[in-house]
Amino acid sequence: SILHPKIHRAFQQDRAPAPVRHPTVMMVNPIPGKGSKELAQLMALRPDWHYRVVAGGYGTSDITALTTTASATGASLELIAKQVPPHELAQLYATSTVLIQPSYHESYGMVALEARTVGTPVVVTDLPGVHEALSGFSDGVEYIPAPPTVKELHNAVQRFLDGSIHA
């Protein structure tokens, strides 16, 4: 597949998909417009899943709601509250079961493209910029309607875990 020229070379390496023992659901830049509320709701609904959140990117991350939800529900939350170099970010994607990006608006969908490039399935909202970013992938992408709901987000992640969607 052809990659966007700004994709760092760390994302272009072949990686084996992460084994699904205990699902790891990843999100990058948990701000309200990117679906941080839906992530907190998903954590409350499925505290048995592990959540990996990289909160060191652009904007003000909504980590208080996530840490509060994790504490209240017993959900496992791996919070990375710093900017992560590309080679480390590629490894975080590659060792995650699925990346979620339940954005309300998205100009391109670089995070989803990076994750999919290393072989990690993605659940994303059905937005034009995301479609453009992921147009080179025939599988491993599940679109949910915008604005996202926790039910649609949960069901899409669960379809990857059940194997009913090819990753």
Side-chain angles (χ1 to χ4, degrees):
S1 68
I2 296 174
L3 296 176
H4 189 279
K6 291 186 179 181
I7 294 285
H8 188 274
R9 63 185 160 89
F11 297 101
Q12 298 175 22
Q13 299 171 7
D14 291 330
R15 299 196 191 306
V20 181
R21 291 186 194 118
H22 301 287
T24 297
V25 177
M26 183 174 175
M27 182 180 201
V28 175
N29 200 19
I31 61 175
K34 302 269 185 190
S36 60
K37 178 183 83 173
E38 288 73 20
L39 175 60
Q41 292 171 342
L42 184 62
M43 291 170 65
L45 181 65
R46 292 304 302 257
D48 55 319
W49 293 350
H50 174 72
Y51 297 89
R52 175 178 290 155
V53 177
V54 179
Y58 173 80
T60 304
S61 296
D62 192 14
I63 59 174
T64 303
L66 300 177
T67 56
T68 301
T69 301
S71 294
T73 64
S76 171
L77 174 62
E78 176 187 354
L79 181 61
I80 302 160
K82 63 175 187 168
Q83 288 213 317
V84 178
H87 68 281
E88 289 179 26
L89 189 57
Q91 188 61 34
L92 291 170
Y93 289 135
T95 57
S96 295
T97 310
V98 63
L99 173 98
I100 62 169
Q101 189 178 3
S103 302
Y104 285 77
H105 47 82
E106 194 67 55
S107 59
Y108 185 66
M110 183 65 82
V111 167
L113 177 60
E114 291 171 345
R116 197 65 204 110
T117 299
V118 298
T120 303
V122 296
V123 174
V124 294
T125 42
D126 193 3
L127 298 168
V130 177
H131 273 280
E132 179 183 344
L134 299 173
S135 63
F137 297 95
S138 59
D139 58 7
V141 179
E142 179 73 358
Y143 293 98
I144 59 174
T149 68
V150 71
K151 180 179 179 182
E152 292 159 339
L153 181 59
H154 170 264
N155 291 344
V157 170
Q158 190 64 54
R159 286 191 291 274
F160 278 121
L161 299 179
D162 293 344
S164 55
I165 298 176
H166 181 62

